[in-house]
Amino acid sequence: MKAPSLAKIEGVYSVAPETADSWRDAHGKAPFVRGPYEKMYQQKPWTIRQYAGFEGALETNAFFKRALSQGQTGLSVAFDLPTHLGFDSDHDLAAADVGRTGVAIDSVEDMAVLFDGIDLGNVSVSMTMNGAVLPIMACFIVAAEEQGVAPDKLSGTIQNDILKEYIARNTYIHSPDFSMGVVSDVVAYCSAHMPRFNSMSISGYHFQEAGASPELELALTMANARAYLTHFQQQGIDLEFVAKRLSFFFGLGMSFYKEVAKLRAARFLWSELLDEFSIRSENAKRLKMHCQTSGVSLTESSPLNNIVRTTIEAMAGVFGGTQSLHTNSYDEAISLPSDQASKVALETQFILQHETGIGDVVDPWGGSYMMESATQSMIEYVRTMQKNIETEGGVLALVASGQLTTFIHRQALQTAMDEEALNKKIVGKNCYQSPTSSPQHQRVIASDKTLLQQSKKLAQLKLKRDDGAVKRALQALQAAARSKQNLMPFTIDAIRVRATVGECIKALTDEASRYLKPEYIESAPFCTHLDADIVKRYQTLSSQLDRPLRFLIAKVGLDGHDRGAKVIVSLLRDLGIEVDYLPIFASIDDIIQQDAMCPYDGIGLSILSGAHIHFITQITQKIRTDCPIFVGGVIPTSDKNTLEKIGVEVVFTAKHSLNDIAISLYDTLVVATKIKVNRFENQRIMKGC
Ligand code: MLC
Ligand code: 5AD
């Protein structure tokens, strides 16, 4: 499948606005290009909703309370990877990741602590949860109930967008087929019992983070929205009723005009889509969105410059008319936000709301020929992509075959090549590099302590609960899955009697097993952008060895951020190296076994979750081979030395160019392979052959 090309976006536009008068359309009226509400921020400023979560419920609760007392207006929960994937903290596969990239929630007791002292009838809460959506929604509902807040009083949003998990974010559990049933169970339950709660946040953000351009992000998001509507209709769900609580989530990158146009076009396209489904409610047609500034646009070097990037991206969100906003922290490329960086990110929004006046005008870009034309270009692009997707069999077929993932991966490769060739300049990364870097405060996550605490709490929970009631509730949940009933009420029953998140998911995976999506890695002509000399040196080394070099690349643990790992696989293959790429979620044992099977010249491990020391310590202790180990990911400088001490040859982070990586790998390989060749020669001499 080919992507259409977008009419020129940087410069003069060639696509004339479809309706020359579109800029005169009233605000707050379909098709809502000029904003979902008549008076927009004059009536209600956007919600300041910073996404956060780390360690245990207690620590995150303290963070939430502080943010609310400082003036944040909504909450947004980041869960840790074991919770996303439905493993309790005491599960073997969870050990390294507990409380690292979000808060660990194992049961309703943790959820109660998370919102202790926060009135759930008053503060709206977003929860980014997809894979383990059933038990997490159930924990939220039961925790609120025990706080005295009935489901119909709860306001907030559950992400519940599984399609984008298969395409880009990778925290899915079951097959797409089973998961689509879960999505509609949650939507149907919310619309019946939680009228103030948004039952989905149809997300594009993760597509852009994985490599998609803003226009591809929009096209895939709208294609998913259409697929969900079609699915709900087939399930007999009343669209007129549910559509008004389907919300959206977009990323904001550095292509300023494109981002503003994207948000305007999104509203038009949703309104048009609902017309297609014959939905009449104006409220449903009014697309409501949350936006988050981009993580990938931020640099590791000169991190304070990231405050400027985030501010510009946030302004695009405000000009585009977002309802809710997260501004990223400047230390993003190094670790989870430190307290200092979180404060700057939060206060950036206060400055935008209170000092600049940019929210005083509704749709300030409306009527600009450039902006109307850019908006129209976006609309045309999405329409063409939609036709292409349908011709190829539709979203569900392309999700199952992995083709949409490949589409994004291709754009990520192109971006990597553009940065290498300096066609895309990033200040401090590939140009205007600064020799000194400002000192950084860094959030250190007490993951081991959190693991101990969570395990202790789980043991206590299991001692005091009624085991018989838990067993019966889990059996009922499993039976409901078999007979295809709505699983929400059964999960709520199980959570109420203190079944854990992991136990609920285990009951379901016994019925519909865990799933691993197919993975394809495209080739790309990286060598044309590297120093010719280095390319030649790889060829020479390989001919000296009289065989191709062999590499293993893997992601370890529960972290599914595979953009970087896949770029490296393509780079190495283009250098003539044979590369095995393990499926995501590889365990330490998977790496050891794979290494025992094949004599690799190098092993590259990608870890973005912060669990690098945990994994690498064990791998370097257990591995038989003497081949060099390379590590890439979000690795603070202070950990680099530790990794090198425990046996890692080189640590690569976001600041390294592909040329740097190629040179560094070569230098290590040349030494390592020579040792191998010499040892082989010595053995031959000793054996007298
Ligand atoms: C708002 N209202 C107005 C108005 N503005 N009424 C009249 N005039 C105006 N100008 C009304 C709304 O209709 C609504 O009423 C109420 O005020 C609340 O406003 P809202 O605009 O709906 O705001 P909010 O409650 O904040 O909801 C925003 C949202 C929601 C609809 C986009 O879905 C949301 O908060 N999403 C956040 C998602 C999120 O944080 N995701 C994080 C992902 S991080 P009523 O009657 O309708 O209630 C992630 C990263 C990763 O994914 O990978 O891990
Ligand atoms: N706390 C705060 N922000 C987080 N992000 C991810 N996890 C957390 C967390 N636990 C942010 C980062 C990342 C984006 C997906 O969300 O900005 O790029």
Side-chain angles (χ1 to χ4, degrees):
M1 188 171 70
K2 272 217 156 80
S5 60
L6 191 69
K8 193 160 174 48
I9 206 98
E10 300 87 4
V12 181
Y13 287 86
S14 52
V15 176
E18 192 171 74
T19 49
D21 286 344
S22 77
W23 59 272
R24 278 190 221 137
D25 287 350
H27 317 113
K29 291 220 169 68
F32 301 107
V33 176
R34 301 215 59 190
Y37 299 107
E38 192 191 340
K39 298 217 164 82
M40 286 298 289
Y41 308 133
Q42 294 167 3
Q43 179 144 349
K44 181 187 174 296
W46 68 86
T47 308
I48 301 176
R49 196 185 292 284
Q50 298 295 85
Y51 179 58
F54 58 92
E55 301 182 353
L58 202 61
E59 290 77 10
T60 301
N61 171 269
F63 188 90
F64 282 171
K65 281 183 179 155
R66 202 164 54 240
L68 288 172
S69 73
Q70 284 168 350
Q72 181 169 311
T73 48
L75 291 177
S76 176
V77 188
F79 295 95
D80 71 358
L81 288 164
T83 308
H84 271 293
L85 292 164
F87 296 116
D88 284 339
S89 299
D90 58 1
H91 193 286
D92 281 352
L93 293 176
D97 289 306
V98 175
R100 262 194 208 283
T101 56
V103 60
I105 299 291
D106 290 321
S107 74
V108 62
E109 312 249 311
D110 289 333
M111 197 64 104
V113 174
L114 185 66
F115 294 114
D116 182 48
I118 297 170
D119 179 3
L120 290 174
N122 216 5
V123 179
S124 71
V125 176
S126 163
M127 290 182 290
T128 295
M129 180 50 68
N130 305 276
V133 64
L134 287 166
I136 287 300
M137 266 304 276
C139 284
F140 182 68
I141 291 166
V142 176
E145 194 179 86
E146 293 178 2
Q147 205 189 71
V149 183
D152 64 339
K153 299 284 179 301
L154 289 169
S155 63
T157 302
I158 182 80
Q159 197 164 76
N160 193 28
D161 170 9
I162 202 69
L163 288 173
K164 66 93 177 52
E165 295 295 329
Y166 299 107
I167 301 172
R169 192 169 175 273
N170 288 332
T171 58
Y172 55 82
I173 296 175
H174 309 278
S175 70
D177 218 26
F178 184 83
S179 299
M180 284 299 274
V182 171
V183 168
S184 49
D185 285 356
V186 174
V187 166
Y189 185 89
C190 288
S191 75
H193 303 280
M194 303 168 76
R196 300 178 61 202
F197 206 80
N198 300 294
S199 57
M200 291 187 92
S201 178
I202 307 171
S203 308
Y205 181 85
H206 313 91
F207 301 142
Q208 194 170 155
E209 289 293 286
S213 61
E215 58 272 23
L216 182 59
E217 173 197 346
L218 181 61
L220 295 180
T221 312
M222 298 321 292
N224 285 352
R226 179 188 293 269
Y228 286 125
L229 290 177
T230 309
H231 177 75
F232 298 154
Q233 204 169 43
Q234 286 162 355
Q235 302 286 306
I237 293 175
D238 181 357
L239 291 186
E240 192 75 44
F241 204 55
V242 302
K244 57 180 180 288
R245 284 297 178 194
L246 303 179
S247 67
F248 283 78
F249 171 33
F250 294 106
L252 299 167
M254 286 298 279
S255 301
F256 183 78
Y257 297 128
K258 270 194 190 184
E259 294 297 4
V260 180
K262 181 181 81 186
L263 306 187
R264 303 176 89 239
R267 282 189 293 270
F268 178 94
L269 288 158
W270 176 241
S271 177
E272 182 179 67
L273 184 60
L274 291 200
D275 281 339
E276 243 183 78
F277 279 84
S278 307
I279 292 168
R280 288 180 307 277
S281 155
E282 281 283 289
N283 198 12
K285 285 188 200 166
R286 175 180 289 130
L287 181 148
K288 282 150 285 188
M289 66 174 81
H290 170 75
C291 286
Q292 176 165 347
T293 59
S294 152
V296 283
S297 68
L298 306 185
T299 57
E300 185 181 338
S301 40
S302 305
L304 294 181
N305 290 346
N306 293 330
I307 300 171
V308 179
R309 295 188 175 98
T310 296
T311 307
I312 292 168
E313 292 168 349
M315 282 171 69
V318 175
F319 286 144
T322 192
Q323 279 54 70
S324 166
L325 181 65
H326 168 110
T327 32
N328 280 12
S329 297
Y330 63 77
D331 52 2
E332 169 95 15
I334 304 158
S335 65
L336 275 195
S338 61
D339 282 342
Q340 191 190 38
S342 305
K343 186 168 175 289
V344 174
L346 183 62
E347 289 172 4
T348 301
Q349 294 208 40
F350 298 152
I351 292 170
L352 291 176
Q353 282 195 347
H354 301 293
E355 294 185 22
T356 64
I358 64 170
D360 292 350
V361 178
V362 181
D363 188 32
W365 285 94
S368 139
Y369 185 88
M370 176 279 295
M371 186 52 71
E372 295 299 351
S373 177
T375 305
Q376 190 63 42
S377 300
M378 285 277 170
I379 293 170
E380 298 298 346
Y381 177 97
V382 173
R383 285 174 177 157
T384 311
M385 268 301 278
Q386 184 60 42
K387 276 194 205 117
N388 294 352
I389 287 173
E390 268 157 35
T391 312
E392 299 284 330
V395 162
L396 290 175
L398 295 176
V399 161
S401 68
Q403 283 184 76
L404 295 180
T405 310
T406 305
F407 223 87
I408 296 174
H409 169 54
R410 235 176 258 155
Q411 291 202 342
L413 293 178
Q414 190 56 52
T415 302
M417 287 191 289
D418 286 347
E419 283 185 15
E420 202 63 32
L422 279 179
N423 292 335
K424 188 173 164 58
K425 291 200 173 83
I426 313 286
V427 172
K429 184 176 177 190
N430 63 2
C431 61
Y432 303 106
Q433 285 104 329
S434 156
T436 53
S437 200
S438 29
Q440 285 300 297
H441 299 265
Q442 195 182 294
R443 181 177 297 286
V444 178
I445 299 290
S447 178
D448 292 345
K449 187 189 93 193
T450 312
L451 171 59
L452 268 177
Q453 272 171 3
Q454 290 302 116
S455 304
K456 212 157 110 194
K457 277 200 277 176
L458 277 164
Q460 281 164 356
L461 178 92
K462 287 178 185 173
L463 270 182
K464 66 178 189 202
R465 69 187 185 179
D466 175 350
D467 275 338
V470 172
K471 200 166 163 206
R472 283 192 298 280
L474 291 172
Q475 278 167 350
L477 173 62
Q478 204 171 47
R482 204 170 308 135
S483 55
K484 302 205 180 330
Q485 297 181 67
N486 189 318
L487 299 176
M488 266 312 296
F490 294 93
T491 320
I492 292 173
D493 287 347
I495 289 292
R496 195 176 277 128
V497 295
R498 271 46 187 173
T500 67
V501 170
E503 286 169 336
C504 291
I505 293 298
K506 171 83 172 54
L508 296 174
T509 48
D510 285 349
E511 197 54 41
S513 55
R514 284 192 180 265
Y515 173 84
L516 207 52
K517 72 178 192 186
E519 205 65 79
Y520 305 102
I521 301 194
E522 296 273 298
S523 55
F526 277 111
C527 287
T528 50
H529 304 291
L530 305 179
D531 292 348
D533 184 46
I534 186 72
V535 177
K536 218 149 113 214
R537 276 192 269 160
Y538 272 93
Q539 287 161 354
T540 313
L541 181 59
S542 174
S543 38
Q544 279 167 352
L545 291 171
D546 200 21
R547 62 167 177 81
L549 289 157
R550 282 188 212 99
F551 243 82
L552 173 68
I553 299 284
K555 287 206 54 72
V556 200
L558 304 181
D559 151 41
H561 290 96
D562 55 2
R563 174 182 179 157
K566 285 157 95 181
V567 167
I568 294 298
V569 173
S570 299
L571 168 75
L572 298 187
R573 286 187 180 154
D574 204 48
L575 283 164
I577 301 177
E578 279 182 4
V579 186
D580 288 333
Y581 179 61
L582 287 190
I584 49 171
F585 310 138
S587 65
I588 293 170
D589 287 344
D590 291 335
I591 308 286
I592 310 290
Q593 274 169 23
Q594 186 69 26
D595 174 66
M597 276 182 340
C598 297
Y600 291 110
D601 296 300
I603 297 180
L605 303 172
S606 159
I607 306 167
L608 278 78
S609 61
H612 40 271
I613 294 190
H614 174 104
F615 283 120
I616 302 299
T617 308
Q618 298 196 39
I619 289 173
T620 46
Q621 276 167 5
K622 289 188 184 170
I623 211 151
R624 272 184 337 154
T625 183
D626 55 0
C627 87
I629 293 179
F630 305 91
V631 176
V634 179
I635 318 265
T637 318
S638 50
D639 288 352
K640 205 174 149 240
N641 294 343
T642 315
L643 287 176
E644 285 166 1
K645 268 192 209 129
I646 56 180
V648 171
E649 287 296 332
V650 192
V651 175
F652 297 115
T653 60
K655 70 176 178 213
H656 291 97
S657 72
L658 297 178
N659 207 57
D660 291 344
I661 294 175
I663 292 172
S664 227
L665 283 181
Y666 174 83
D667 289 344
T668 314
L669 285 175
V670 101
V671 176
T673 47
K674 254 194 203 128
I675 294 171
K676 263 192 200 165
V677 171
N678 288 346
R679 192 182 303 143
F680 178 65
E681 288 297 329
N682 289 343
Q683 279 168 1
R684 278 205 319 182
I685 293 163
M686 277 159 59
K687 282 183 189 155
C689 49

